[in-house]
Amino acid sequence: MSTRKTGASQRKPNASRVQLEARIISAAEKAFALTGYSGTAMETIAEAVGISKQNLIYYFPNKETLYRRVLRKTLDMWLEKMAFTEDPDASATDIITHYIRGKLELSYENPDGSRVFAHELINGAPVLKDYLISHLKPQFEKDVALVRQWTSAGVLRDVSPEHLFFTIWAATQTYADFATQIQLLLGKKKLQKKDFEDAALFLTDMVLHGIVANSP
Amino acid sequence: MSTRKTGASQRKPNASRVQLEARIISAAEKAFALTGYSGTAMETIAEAVGISKQNLIYYFPNKETLYRRVLRKTLDMWLEKMAFTEDPDASATDIITHYIRGKLELSYENPDGSRVFAHELINGAPVLKDYLISHLKPQFEKDVALVRQWTSAGVLRDVSPEHLFFTIWAATQTYADFATQIQLLLGKKKLQKKDFEDAALFLTDMVLHGIVANSP
DNA sequence: TTGTGTTTTTACCAAATGGTAAAACTTTTC
DNA sequence: GAAAAGTTTTACCATTTGGTAAAAACACAA
């Protein structure tokens, strides 16, 4: 009874388990984004949340579990928006424009998720490999086929659909992953929405002019 | 002849020492590329070279020294080839084509260096920040100015030079950094020269069609 | 109040890690 | 061939890290 809680860690009085877990995942994402899996200590994450390491382990029994949850959260977000083939009536330019903007929005809204993903990929995707094969690849092949159709129909010039996707992905993710470099070169402290808007304008413009047949 | 006996530490650049250092740097590059700075243990590097950790420390007194050497090696390579403004008589399309191919060659020849660089940037460039400001930024601004001139001269359409560079950098580096993903989606065990050639053809084609004025 | 399930804290620990100190061994130089 | 310089090995060590075990504190219903 006399043992008072030193106000060191201010718990939210009504923080439910789910809410706390969300806070943990968010903090973990930030940490993994910065230093990758092996470079991130459980204690660092716990500190960021304001709980003890052992308490963190109570919620996520080990580091890998937490890491997988973080990855899954990002991937779920991505799958939601990364769909390419959606509206069969939309034009190729509309779909591509929408796709580029969607990916850029993700980089803007969830840069840390993008960075965790980048770490994982550079690492050789030890955790994500299976997912990439089972989920990303089929989607990719479907989208590639659609681009090929556009080319057959004379809407697009004859370009490699695969490399088109690689380029769009790279160009959109770079604003999250390499934000430091871009900020520095643009002379800004932090990338603003405006910068992402500029990027979207440039990218859609160049890509469409670059691949659409008979473009002015 | 003249070997002085001044008590000062006088080491001569023994050939074997230089060779061993090169092997160490190469192994360290591979290791840092995979797991980043904090995720890489000195012992892992030593094992890869085939020497003891203490012996490694004899050559590189601490991890940061080794890391900086690895970074510097890559940056030196990059600076050599990453020059944009070179021949004042070359056409814009020639220069851009050459630039894209050069960057893709670097990704092909030194993917590990690219990955170390990627880790460092995602980390917020704690070590490289100064270098980026002092070396990369001036070069960048010079190149941006040149692109702007091309636009003024009516050679290029009015596109953002900054974002053009960001896109080219991202698109070329992705073949090194995210090789795992690309391999997987292309269904290849390892990226071959052919794949980089395809990437070069696609990228130069799309970029030039995308930004050159009056392109067919 | 008390019993029960949940959450947090306290106390440890074994393994890994970056690094020091110095002995032992090898090569070079005179 | 011995001193000097250079290299490798051996022996440690303090700290960090992921993780275990269990006690303590808390929430809440009967």
Side-chain angles (χ1 to χ4, degrees):
Chain A
M1 0 181 94
S2 59
T3 36
R4 307 150 314 164
K5 288 285 159 42
T6 58
S9 68
Q10 270 202 68
R11 299 189 297 262
K12 289 193 169 180
N14 289 334
S16 75
R17 175 162 193 139
V18 177
Q19 280 174 326
L20 183 49
E21 273 179 9
R23 277 173 57 215
I24 291 172
I25 290 173
S26 171
E29 183 177 68
K30 210 169 286 187
F32 286 134
L34 212 55
T35 43
Y37 179 78
S38 41
T40 301
M42 289 291 270
E43 188 140 35
T44 306
I45 298 169
E47 269 167 25
V49 181
I51 61 178
S52 69
K53 184 186 70 169
Q54 287 75 5
N55 200 185
L56 168 60
I57 288 173
Y58 172 72
Y59 287 96
F60 294 91
N62 56 58
K63 196 166 141 179
E64 203 186 316
T65 302
L66 178 52
Y67 179 66
R68 283 176 185 273
R69 275 290 289 278
V70 168
L71 271 181
R72 222 191 49 192
K73 181 196 157 203
T74 296
L75 291 173
D76 287 350
M77 275 185 79
W78 283 13
L79 267 193
E80 226 182 282
K81 285 206 182 179
M82 230 180 93
F84 190 102
T85 324
E86 281 298 308
D87 181 359
D89 296 325
S91 71
T93 55
D94 285 348
I95 292 180
I96 292 169
T97 302
H98 182 263
Y99 187 74
I100 289 175
R101 295 198 96 94
K103 290 233 74 191
L104 273 171
E105 265 166 38
L106 285 176
S107 282
Y108 178 68
E109 284 161 16
N110 189 30
D112 285 325
S114 178
R115 287 176 200 132
V116 177
F117 185 75
H119 274 296
E120 168 72 10
L121 272 191
I122 296 178
N123 252 287
V127 170
L128 274 187
K129 205 166 221 167
D130 289 343
Y131 172 89
L132 294 180
I133 294 173
S134 63
H135 289 71
L136 182 62
K137 198 172 183 188
Q139 176 74 45
F140 175 71
E141 278 160 2
K142 220 167 102 186
D143 292 349
V144 162
L146 180 59
V147 172
R148 249 187 255 288
Q149 273 180 37
W150 288 336
T151 296
S152 301
V155 178
L156 297 191
R157 293 175 42 245
D158 186 17
V159 295
S160 157
E162 292 90 349
H163 292 283
L164 172 62
F165 280 107
F166 299 154
T167 294
I168 292 177
W169 293 346
T172 50
Q173 265 194 244
T174 201
Y175 292 92
D177 301 344
F178 292 173
T180 305
Q181 188 181 35
I182 292 174
Q183 281 161 28
L184 229 145
L185 293 177
L186 292 183
K188 307 203 169 183
K189 257 196 157 178
K190 210 173 168 287
L191 294 185
Q192 309 293 326
K193 210 158 198 171
K194 168 88 165 65
D195 300 307
F196 283 80
E197 180 57 31
D198 290 348
L201 287 175
F202 165 80
L203 248 188
T204 51
D205 178 65
M206 185 186 79
V207 168
L208 291 178
H209 273 86
I211 66 173
V212 170
N214 317 317
S215 86
Chain B
M1 16 186 81
S2 62
T3 301
R4 307 120 322 155
K5 26 184 55 184
T6 58
S9 73
Q10 175 249 357
R11 49 181 65 151
K12 53 179 188 164
N14 193 336
S16 68
R17 174 166 191 138
V18 175
Q19 279 175 330
L20 183 49
E21 273 179 8
R23 276 172 57 213
I24 291 172
I25 290 173
S26 171
E29 182 177 68
K30 210 169 284 187
F32 286 133
L34 212 55
T35 43
Y37 179 78
S38 40
T40 301
M42 287 292 268
E43 187 140 36
T44 305
I45 298 169
E47 268 167 25
V49 181
I51 61 178
S52 69
K53 184 186 69 169
Q54 287 75 5
N55 200 185
L56 168 60
I57 288 173
Y58 171 71
Y59 287 96
F60 294 91
N62 58 57
K63 196 165 137 178
E64 203 186 315
T65 303
L66 178 51
Y67 179 67
R68 284 176 184 273
R69 274 291 289 277
V70 168
L71 270 180
R72 221 191 50 192
K73 181 196 156 201
T74 295
L75 292 173
D76 286 351
M77 274 186 78
W78 283 13
L79 268 193
E80 226 182 283
K81 285 207 182 179
M82 230 181 94
F84 190 102
T85 324
E86 283 298 309
D87 181 1
D89 296 326
S91 71
T93 55
D94 284 348
I95 292 180
I96 292 170
T97 301
H98 182 263
Y99 187 74
I100 291 175
R101 296 198 94 94
K103 289 232 76 191
L104 273 172
E105 265 166 40
L106 285 176
S107 282
Y108 177 69
E109 283 161 17
N110 190 29
D112 285 325
S114 178
R115 288 178 199 130
V116 176
F117 186 76
H119 274 295
E120 167 73 9
L121 271 191
I122 297 178
N123 252 285
V127 169
L128 274 187
K129 205 166 220 166
D130 289 342
Y131 172 89
L132 294 180
I133 294 172
S134 64
H135 288 71
L136 182 62
K137 199 173 182 187
Q139 177 73 45
F140 174 72
E141 279 160 2
K142 220 167 102 187
D143 292 348
V144 162
L146 180 59
V147 172
R148 248 187 255 288
Q149 274 181 35
W150 288 337
T151 295
S152 301
V155 178
L156 297 190
R157 293 176 41 244
D158 187 17
V159 295
S160 157
E162 292 90 350
H163 292 283
L164 172 62
F165 279 107
F166 300 154
T167 294
I168 292 177
W169 293 347
T172 48
Q173 264 194 247
T174 201
Y175 292 93
D177 301 344
F178 292 173
T180 304
Q181 188 181 36
I182 293 174
Q183 281 160 28
L184 229 145
L185 294 177
L186 292 183
K188 307 201 169 183
K189 258 194 156 179
K190 209 173 170 286
L191 294 185
Q192 308 293 327
K193 210 158 199 171
K194 168 89 165 63
D195 301 307
F196 283 80
E197 180 56 31
D198 289 348
L201 286 175
F202 165 80
L203 248 188
T204 52
D205 179 65
M206 186 187 78
V207 168
L208 290 179
H209 273 86
I211 66 173
V212 171
N214 315 319
S215 86

